[in-house]
Structures are given as C-alpha cells and as structure tokens.
Amino acid sequence: MAGELILIVEDNERNRKLVRDVLQFKGYRTIEVETGEESLRLARDRRPNLILMDIRLPGINGIEALKRLRADPATRAIPVMAMTASIMTAGPEEMRAAGFDGYQSKPLQVKAFVAAVEELLEKGQGTRRTTT
Ligand code: MN
C-alpha cells in the first residue's frame, strides 16, 4: 500500500536526499526535519505512519527524541526506525533495547532499507510490541 506518510529525521543533507528519493520513488509521502526537537512537533501535528530517526543529531539525539515520542500519548504508537552510522558501536541490539522498532545502518543498503520500511508499515500503528 503506497501513500503512507513517513517522517525523516536526519541532519545530513545527502542522507536525507537519498532517503527521500527512495521513499518517494516507492510511492510514499515524506516530510523532513533536521533535529529531534522538530521531529516531536511534526510527529504530533502530522501523525506520520512511520518515523526514520538518525541518532546523531544537533540538540537532543535520536534516542532522547524516541523517549519523548513514547512519553507523548499522541505519538507513542508511531513505529520508529533508527538509522545509525555503521561506525558507531551501537548495533541492532542496542537500538532495540532503546525501544526502536527497527534498525538500519548507514550507508543504507537500498533494498534492505525499503524492505524494513515496508515491514514496519505492514505491522502498522498500535501493534507495536510493548517492552516489559
Ligand atoms: Mn546525523
């Protein structure tokens, strides 16, 4: 199903363009912000179907932004996928422990990235596994 709204949170212009181009080619609608703080506001206003979250951001980082999204009833059910540079020590386990619904390392592998996006959108809002 195409047409879902995806919020891209990424401060790097090139990465943002790559993600935007791939998603729009696949028929998704995208909105973009460069900081975690802005992502909170836009997530509340637009209620995207999925959020793609860079970790290293100016201001609050992606993990803190995720915490705040989860703390807000208006945004807590939105699936959030982390996008981290592979050079970082944090891998899939750390990202899942932090509460992310998915994880992709940068540089993004386009096929795997698209598959991960589709999977999270299929799971959809409200069916996110609650962590105990
Ligand atoms: Mn970054």
Side-chain angles (χ1 to χ4, degrees):
M1 187 168 58
E4 288 98 335
L5 184 65
I6 300 178
L7 170 58
I8 303 163
V9 189
E10 168 66 80
D11 62 315
N12 181 283
E13 162 88 50
R14 277 180 182 221
N15 290 336
R16 217 164 51 237
K17 178 173 167 30
L18 171 67
V19 171
R20 175 206 311 142
D21 288 349
V22 167
L23 293 177
Q24 290 187 355
F25 179 76
K26 288 288 172 182
Y28 300 115
R29 294 176 297 135
T30 63
I31 45 180
E32 303 168 17
V33 293
E34 297 183 30
T35 69
E37 286 90 343
E38 290 173 289
S39 77
L40 305 176
R41 181 181 54 78
L42 212 58
R44 260 196 310 271
D45 290 352
R46 302 290 301 276
R47 308 292 171 92
N49 301 97
L50 174 67
I51 299 173
L52 305 177
M53 183 72 76
D54 182 24
I55 299 302
R56 283 193 191 178
L57 294 163
I60 63 169
N61 68 22
I63 293 172
E64 177 60 28
L66 175 72
K67 271 188 207 160
R68 297 189 193 183
L69 287 165
R70 297 291 197 240
D72 184 343
T75 56
R76 75 162 47 123
I78 302 171
V80 184
M81 183 163 81
M83 301 186 296
T84 71
S86 51
I87 197 163
M88 282 180 64
T89 49
E93 293 79 18
E94 287 84 354
M95 293 296 105
R96 291 210 183 266
F100 286 98
D101 300 286
Y103 163 90
Q104 287 290 300
S105 64
K106 295 187 286 191
L108 294 172
Q109 305 300 306
V110 171
K111 264 192 164 175
F113 170 69
V114 169
V117 165
E118 286 171 350
E119 191 194 327
L120 278 177
L121 285 171
E122 272 166 31
K123 276 199 241 167
Q125 202 166 322
T127 56
R128 188 171 57 79
R129 187 166 46 96
T130 48
T131 48
T132 50

